[in-house]
Amino acid sequence: MNTQYSRVLPVNDALEKLDNANNILTDLNIPDDIPHGDMPGDKIEIGESHIEKAKTIFPILIKELKEKMSANAYNRAVVAVCGGSGVGKSEIASLLSYLLEKAGIGSYTMSGDNYPHRIPMYNDAERLHVFRESGIRGMVDSGVMTPENFAKVKEWQIAEDDANKAHVETDSWFKAYIEAGEKGLDNYLGTPNETDFEEVDQIMKAFKDGADKLWLKRMGRDEASLWYDEVDMSAKQVLIVEWTHGNSDYMTQVDIPVLLNSTPQETLEHRRSRNRDGKLDSPFTMMVLELEQNKLVNQAHKAKIIITKAGEIISYDEFKKLM
């Protein structure tokens, strides 16, 4: 998919427009109805903090774009806005795209959340299955699989408490289940086992190769909501991908990763505000958030721009000290 396409002509004045792009920040007024990209499911709400962060990021982004776009035959570049859930990826990506458009630089925002192998309503269940299957195998490999121990694990599973590390304090054998389950989950989250990184990478590659149109996946939260739209890219110079895994090592075509820093606690608060399910405080949810946070931290050295929750631009060395 997205391997057969016609190519656009280079935009000769794109770099000149970049030189003047920061002028739009003077007396800037952001309307309520700016385009919001193609994020599935949730609605986004842009607040003053998002606007201030976008305005802080924008001048640095323009500098990075000038370098990357001038090196591309079609004066195009790909930006990834990444970070944990609740840090404002969708809002800030939409704002950056809007600012670029205001400066005369065509931009489109796409969401990586449209590209898991499973639809959202099954995603959490699959993650839990991976954790539990890995945990049970770990018990067997460690020689602690007995009818008595399995009965306890089964009891904790039914209570949705089998990712609770506190059980190790009273049942030391449970360490084998927890460690193996966490390792199996870590090898699943944010990998090609969970997400079609190859398809996302091909979209970005085609965009930078001058594709005039792209087929982009759309996904709702139920099994009857999955389709593709053909999107006109002929007037776009920047593709913004907003996604937790936007800085992943599994993608090769991102030019400018922008990391919005957050903590697992901040992510949890955002999940509470969305009220997606009744298991927000479960040990398993916290394990997922912590593993995702670790991946973001491990990939942060590649980010061209890092901004804190408070809206401060920091270096990677400052990020390491903060974390």
Side-chain angles (χ1 to χ4, degrees):
M1 189 174 294
N2 289 309
T3 58
Q4 303 292 325
Y5 43 79
S6 298
R7 291 177 173 84
V8 299
L9 296 174
V11 180
N12 295 325
D13 63 347
L15 301 181
E16 181 181 342
K17 288 179 178 178
L18 283 173
D19 286 333
N20 299 313
N22 289 325
N23 295 336
I24 67 164
L25 296 178
T26 304
D27 299 323
L28 179 67
N29 180 38
I30 306 290
D32 294 331
D33 58 346
I34 69 171
H36 290 170
D38 58 18
M39 183 184 71
D42 301 319
K43 294 181 180 179
I44 69 172
E45 296 182 5
I46 293 175
E48 285 301 319
S49 65
H50 300 125
I51 294 173
E52 290 306 311
K53 284 182 186 177
K55 290 167 66 176
T56 300
I57 293 169
F58 191 67
I60 308 171
L61 179 62
I62 291 301
K63 182 180 178 181
E64 295 286 343
L65 281 172
K66 188 168 183 180
E67 176 186 343
K68 297 300 182 181
M69 289 170 62
S70 63
N72 179 267
Y74 300 93
N75 300 132
R76 285 180 162 184
V78 173
V79 177
V81 177
C82 57
S85 176
V87 76
K89 297 184 298 298
S90 302
E91 290 84 355
I92 290 173
S94 298
L95 284 164
L96 292 175
S97 189
Y98 174 79
L99 294 176
L100 288 169
E101 289 278 353
K102 288 286 287 184
I105 302 158
S107 178
Y108 182 85
T109 301
M110 65 171 278
S111 174
D113 285 344
N114 281 313
Y115 296 89
H117 292 302
R118 293 157 192 86
I119 62 173
M121 69 183 295
Y122 296 140
N123 197 38
D124 287 344
E126 181 65 19
R127 291 174 172 182
L128 184 58
H129 171 73
V130 168
F131 167 74
R132 287 177 171 174
E133 182 179 55
S134 301
I136 291 295
R137 287 177 174 174
M139 290 178 65
V140 174
D141 291 341
S142 299
V144 296
M145 175 59 78
T146 67
E148 294 77 18
N149 290 348
F150 177 69
K152 276 201 169 183
V153 169
K154 185 68 173 178
E155 179 183 334
W156 291 329
Q157 288 177 343
I158 293 172
E160 298 184 354
D161 197 41
D162 56 308
N164 190 343
K165 298 178 182 180
H167 293 313
V168 176
E169 297 174 8
T170 55
D171 297 90
S172 59
W173 57 264
F174 189 63
K175 182 178 180 181
Y177 180 89
I178 282 287
E179 290 185 347
E182 189 169 31
K183 182 178 179 180
L185 186 60
D186 191 40
N187 290 335
Y188 175 78
L189 293 171
T191 74
N193 296 322
E194 182 181 41
T195 298
D196 197 340
F197 284 98
E198 185 176 354
E199 182 173 359
V200 178
D201 219 35
Q202 178 57 39
I203 289 169
M204 296 186 290
K205 182 179 180 180
F207 178 79
K208 293 200 293 184
D209 191 40
D212 63 340
K213 296 178 182 179
L214 291 171
W215 286 100
L216 300 183
K217 187 178 178 183
R218 309 304 192 207
M219 181 177 287
R221 293 194 63 83
D222 61 74
E223 54 193 64
S225 301
L226 195 158
W227 70 101
Y228 279 82
D229 283 336
E230 188 176 37
V231 180
D232 186 357
M233 294 287 176
S234 59
K236 306 301 181 184
Q237 284 85 59
V238 179
L239 176 63
I240 298 181
V241 181
E242 62 93 3
W243 195 15
T244 298
H245 306 300
N247 199 18
S248 171
D249 292 336
Y250 292 108
M251 294 193 296
T252 65
Q253 299 297 316
V254 174
D255 296 308
I256 307 169
V258 179
L259 174 59
L260 311 180
N261 194 28
S262 64
T263 66
Q265 289 73 26
E266 290 164 344
T267 299
L268 181 61
E269 287 303 316
H270 181 65
R271 287 175 65 95
R272 287 195 183 111
S273 71
R274 288 188 296 183
N275 194 28
R276 278 187 172 176
D277 53 55
K279 308 168 187 175
L280 297 177
D281 296 298
S282 73
F284 181 72
T285 295
M286 293 308 301
M287 181 180 289
V288 168
L289 298 182
E290 288 169 4
L291 290 174
E292 288 185 338
Q293 180 74 14
N294 290 340
K295 292 178 187 291
L296 289 168
V297 171
N298 292 336
Q299 296 158 0
H301 66 279
K302 297 181 295 179
K304 298 293 186 181
I305 303 170
I306 304 176
I307 189 166
T308 66
K309 186 76 171 176
E312 178 186 2
I313 298 291
I314 58 175
S315 67
Y316 176 61
D317 286 339
E318 291 170 324
F319 169 84
K320 287 192 293 184
K321 292 178 181 179
L322 183 64
M323 300 308 290

